[in-house]
Amino acid sequence: MAKDSLLVVDEFKLGSSRVENDKLYAKSESFIQNTGNLGGQDKCNADSSLKSGIAYNRSMTISTGEHLPKTGSLFGRMLVFEMIEGDVDKDTLLRLFKAERNKQLSGLMAAFIQWLAPQIDTYKKDLSDIIINLRQEASDAGFASSHARAPEIYVNMVVGVSIFMKFLVESGALSKEQALVWDEEIERQLKHTLSEQFMYQEENDECRRFISLLKALFSSGNAHIADKDTQGPPKTRPYSWAGIKAKHWA
């Protein structure tokens, strides 16, 4: 039912029960994976035959919450925006609520679809080359290096905004100068967000975190590489194995 629509999932928040939290994580990660892969995970019937028509979310999804998935690979299927107090302009939000109540937003979308429909075949033909070139530029620039899919996310959003800005200019809602300013600002914010996501993903990478914790333990003298025979400090060059004053042996 949500195909080609905007779907909002609100709100990912953990409770006090570990069992329930694990179930919530599993549900959210399955949902994100299926949405990002454009396909549901195959399942079998009781007789081991493959189930047909696996359902999956086919919308563009905005999900809000206080937590992120545990699985690092899912970040490649998401664009993460971290928001703090003051990021949302409440006056603007109020005007949008009023516009929605007056059916102005649905009217805007209807006008956009009517404008786009006669041109859709041309866009389908031309956009593939544009997307390939922009994806390569994003990869070369390095800001979208958090995951192999990051350049694809960036390019699709930039192209979508560009088409919508063209509609606003041709309908007289924006001047060309205003559209150019908005285009540049949106691209700048997307680049910034993807760069932040790369740093966040590195910090939460389980392998990197494990190595970082080992380094901290060894350098502090709280742990040491042990001799496999004596389970104590190595007999030779103990300083090379993280320090002779270690309190615990690993």
Side-chain angles (χ1 to χ4, degrees):
M1 291 177 65
K3 181 179 182 295
D4 298 331
S5 300
L6 182 64
L7 177 68
V8 179
V9 180
D10 183 50
E11 132 191 46
F12 185 74
K13 183 178 180 180
L14 300 180
S16 57
S17 169
R18 181 176 178 180
V19 174
E20 292 302 317
N21 289 343
D22 287 342
K23 289 180 180 179
L24 186 59
Y25 268 119
K27 285 182 179 180
S28 66
E29 291 178 2
S30 176
F31 177 79
I32 294 168
Q33 184 176 27
N34 293 347
T35 302
N37 291 346
L38 300 179
Q41 291 180 318
D42 291 339
K43 298 182 183 296
C44 289
N45 296 302
D47 61 358
S48 297
S49 61
L50 191 64
K51 286 185 177 179
S52 59
I54 301 299
Y56 66 95
N57 172 40
R58 296 188 291 175
S59 73
M60 172 176 281
T61 302
I62 295 177
S63 177
T64 67
E66 299 177 3
H67 303 273
L68 290 170
K70 293 179 179 180
T71 308
S73 62
L74 292 180
F75 283 99
R77 297 166 173 84
M78 305 166 61
L79 181 62
V80 179
F81 290 92
E82 293 191 38
M83 303 186 72
I84 60 175
E85 182 70 25
D87 279 349
V88 176
D89 187 320
K90 293 181 180 178
D91 291 336
T92 300
L93 188 62
L94 180 60
R95 290 201 300 271
L96 289 171
F97 277 133
K98 291 179 179 178
E100 190 277 334
R101 194 182 307 121
N102 295 328
K103 308 297 183 183
Q104 290 174 298
L105 299 184
S106 58
L108 175 63
M109 179 56 69
F112 174 60
I113 292 172
Q114 291 173 12
W115 173 86
L116 182 63
Q119 310 174 64
I120 195 68
D121 291 334
T122 302
Y123 276 119
K124 285 181 179 179
K125 183 177 64 175
D126 296 340
L127 279 183
S128 57
D129 291 335
I130 295 173
I131 287 173
I132 289 172
N133 293 333
L134 286 174
R135 189 194 300 124
Q136 188 60 50
E137 290 177 13
S139 298
D140 294 342
F143 62 84
S145 56
S146 59
H147 193 276
R149 299 184 188 215
E152 187 81 17
I153 293 173
Y154 168 78
V155 167
N156 276 283
M157 296 196 75
V158 166
V159 169
V161 166
S162 177
I163 294 173
F164 190 68
M165 289 297 169
K166 184 179 179 183
F167 155 70
L168 292 177
V169 170
E170 292 187 4
S171 64
L174 277 183
S175 67
K176 289 183 179 180
E177 292 75 16
Q178 286 175 309
L180 181 61
V181 170
W182 283 21
D183 260 333
E184 291 177 349
E185 177 63 14
I186 290 170
E187 286 188 34
R188 187 184 69 81
Q189 293 288 357
L190 282 172
K191 290 176 181 179
H192 176 71
T193 300
L194 284 166
S195 298
E196 282 195 336
Q197 185 162 323
F198 172 69
M199 291 186 286
Y200 183 87
Q201 194 165 342
E202 276 202 322
E203 290 174 1
N204 288 271
D205 183 279
E206 293 178 355
C207 296
R208 291 178 183 273
R209 181 164 175 76
F210 177 70
I211 294 172
S212 177
L213 289 172
L214 284 181
K215 288 180 178 178
L217 280 171
F218 294 151
S219 62
S220 66
N222 288 318
H224 200 292
I225 301 297
D227 185 293
K228 69 175 182 179
D229 296 322
T230 65
Q231 300 302 307
K235 296 175 182 178
T236 59
R237 302 179 63 192
Y239 287 103
S240 299
W241 300 98
I244 198 171
K245 295 182 180 179
K247 300 174 184 176
H248 304 284
W249 307 97

